[in-house]
């Protein structure tokens, strides 16, 4: 502390501290601006894509005390035939990031072969290319397209802007992301996310770097199906710990995937608890496939109850994404739902916002040829 005081008290130290504070404010402003752009660009939820299909989750067998729980491998279950539903490359958008505020974190490769498309994307983003100058665009909406007919890599996933290839996920990343992206495409949806594009025109060649925002593959698509009836999906929000989930492990362990982490769709309901003095206190109850799996604290419930009162009044059931982590011994549930104060009037009036419907998890999916030379 003494060294900090001495440093700041000197002119050079004061300038250094001011610079650090200014940089922090600048980074926060850029993040807020980018989030505002994403909220405006991605308003609304992806539309439903076909009939609801029951999703067989990974099952776990365990005695009543759960002491010897054992996960049944997917291969031991009844084989799931590959999806054969007709698909369209122009289906409703499925936002891979699901509303998360993420910076582009995954590198794209092969940009040098697609300089024309990169220049077009930059110009459309009002970041024109000029010789001997940098050009940069953030928050560019791109699509992730599986290319099963790619002659160089059967797992290839291209990154496209307005159907033009900007580059590809690396071979290592393509192996990890091919399955969830193919599942989205086979469901009649278009996998979409945001990208950052940087380029420098040296005159004889274009140097470019493209990065895309991608969560872990296990957190791209939910494991279960949305409940029937009129539902609306609450926008993604900050992490909220679900309480008392340990009392419902008999339900949760059936949904813990072999990877130990996954995404679920849960429903939120207003409930009331009667205190010893007779006072009734409302709180939020969390249900999974119609079964209670926990609740939110009084403080957190207060942030969501106005939204639930609204959805229940108009006959809708509020859904939200929840991350499940655990094993055959224990499971933890973390909710991601926006607070009532974070919901815009436009979102309320444009409802309902149904959750996207995906095919069940399978070992493989049939997707159309998409490779372009």
């Amino acid at each position: 502390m003494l060294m900090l005081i001495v440093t700041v008290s000197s002119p050079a130290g004061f300038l250094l501290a001011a610079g650090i504070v200014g940089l922090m404010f600048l980074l926060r402003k850029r993040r807020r601006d980018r989030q505002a752009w994403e909220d405006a660009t991605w308003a609304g939820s992806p539309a439903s894509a076909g009939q609801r299909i029951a999703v067989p989750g990974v099952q776990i067998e365990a005695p009543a005390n759960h002491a010897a729980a054992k996960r049944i491998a997917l291969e031991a279950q009844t084989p799931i035939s590959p999806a054969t539903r007709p698909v369209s490359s122009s289906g409703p958008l499925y936002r891979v990031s699901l509303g998360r505020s993420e910076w582009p974190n995954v590198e794209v490769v092969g940009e040098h072969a697609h300089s024309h498309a990169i220049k077009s994307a930059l110009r459309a983003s009002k970041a024109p290319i000029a010789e001997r100058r940098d050009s940069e665009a953030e928050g560019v909406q791109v699509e992730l397209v599986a290319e099963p007919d790619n002659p160089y890599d059967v797992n290839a996933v291209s990154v496209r802007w307005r159907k033009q290839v900007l580059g590809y996920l690396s071979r290592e990343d393509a192996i990890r992301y091919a399955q969830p992206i193919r599942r989205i495409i086979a469901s009649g949806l278009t996998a979409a996310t945001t990208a950052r594009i940087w380029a420098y025109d040296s005159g004889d060649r274009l140097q470019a770097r493209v990065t895309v925002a991608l969560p872990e593959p296990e957190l791209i698509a939910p494991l279960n199906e949305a409940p029937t009836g009129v539902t609306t999906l609450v926008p993604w929000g900050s992490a909220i710990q679900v309480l008392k989930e340990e009392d419902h492990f008999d339900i949760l362990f059936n949904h813990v995937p072999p990877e130990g982490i996954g995404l679920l769709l849960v429903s939120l309901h207003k409930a009331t608890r009667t205190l010893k003095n007779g006072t009734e206190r409302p709180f939020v109850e969390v249900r999974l496939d119609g079964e209670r799996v926990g609740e939110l604290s009084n403080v957190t419930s207060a942030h969501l109850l106005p939204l639930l009162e609204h959805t229940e009044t108009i006959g809708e059931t509020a859904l939200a994404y929840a991350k499940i982590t655990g094993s055959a011994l224990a499971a933890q549930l973390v909710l991601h739902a926006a607070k009532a104060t974070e919901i815009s009037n436009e979102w309320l009036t444009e409802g309902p916002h149904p959750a996207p419907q995906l095919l069940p998890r399978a070992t493989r999916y049939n997707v159309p040829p998409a490779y372009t030379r």
Side-chain angles (χ1 to χ4, degrees), residues 233-249:
L233 182 60
V234 178
W236 187 275
S238 302
I240 302 172
Q241 179 64 54
V242 177
L243 305 179
K244 300 185 178 180
E245 73 266 53
E246 66 275 6
D247 297 337
H248 308 282
F249 183 62

Side-chain angles (χ1 to χ4, degrees), residues 81-300:
S81 59
T84 57
R85 173 186 298 179
V87 298
S88 170
S89 60
S90 58
L93 293 182
Y94 181 97
R95 187 182 178 186
V96 171
S97 61
L98 300 177
R100 303 175 183 88
S101 176
E102 290 187 353
W103 292 102
N105 58 327
V106 175
E107 295 283 345
V108 174
V109 300
E111 298 99 328
H112 64 278
H114 306 283
S115 58
H116 178 75
I118 290 174
K119 288 181 179 180
S120 298
L122 287 170
R123 292 191 187 100
S125 302
K126 298 181 180 180
I129 288 287
E131 285 193 20
R132 311 298 178 183
R133 290 186 60 184
D134 288 11
S135 186
E136 178 183 359
E138 293 183 353
V140 179
Q141 180 178 302
V142 295
E143 299 176 4
L144 303 170
V145 180
E147 298 183 359
D149 56 329
N150 189 298
Y152 307 103
D153 184 4
V154 294
N155 295 314
V157 176
S158 60
V159 177
R160 304 190 183 193
W161 173 82
R162 298 182 183 177
K163 300 183 179 181
Q164 301 181 64
V165 176
L166 302 178
Y168 285 81
L169 298 187
S170 67
R171 285 184 178 271
E172 295 77 11
D173 286 330
I175 292 174
R176 299 174 61 226
Y177 287 99
Q179 275 295 84
I181 291 174
R182 289 188 177 197
R183 181 184 176 192
I184 294 169
I185 296 172
S187 301
L189 305 174
T190 298
T193 186
T194 55
R196 174 185 177 272
I197 303 175
W198 171 89
Y200 177 79
D201 191 349
S202 60
D204 55 343
R205 65 186 297 267
L206 184 73
Q207 302 176 34
R209 181 189 182 198
V210 179
T211 51
V212 294
L214 286 177
E216 289 300 307
E218 298 81 11
L219 301 179
I220 285 180
L223 301 168
N224 64 325
E225 179 193 9
T228 57
V230 182
T231 60
T232 193
L233 182 60
V234 178
W236 187 275
S238 302
I240 302 172
Q241 179 64 54
V242 177
L243 305 179
K244 300 185 178 180
E245 73 266 53
E246 66 275 6
D247 297 337
H248 308 282
F249 183 62
D250 57 331
I251 299 172
L252 289 176
F253 73 57
N254 287 314
H255 296 272
V256 178
E259 301 85 0
I261 183 172
L263 199 68
L264 294 171
L265 273 172
V266 298
S267 58
L268 308 177
H269 305 266
K270 179 182 177 181
T272 303
R273 179 182 294 109
T274 302
L275 305 180
K276 293 182 179 180
N277 60 4
T279 303
E280 292 187 344
R281 175 172 292 173
F283 66 97
V284 175
E285 182 179 272
V286 181
R287 299 178 190 173
L288 174 59
D289 296 339
E291 300 282 350
R292 174 188 168 95
V293 290
E295 62 185 60
L296 304 185
S297 68
N298 294 331
V299 174
T300 305

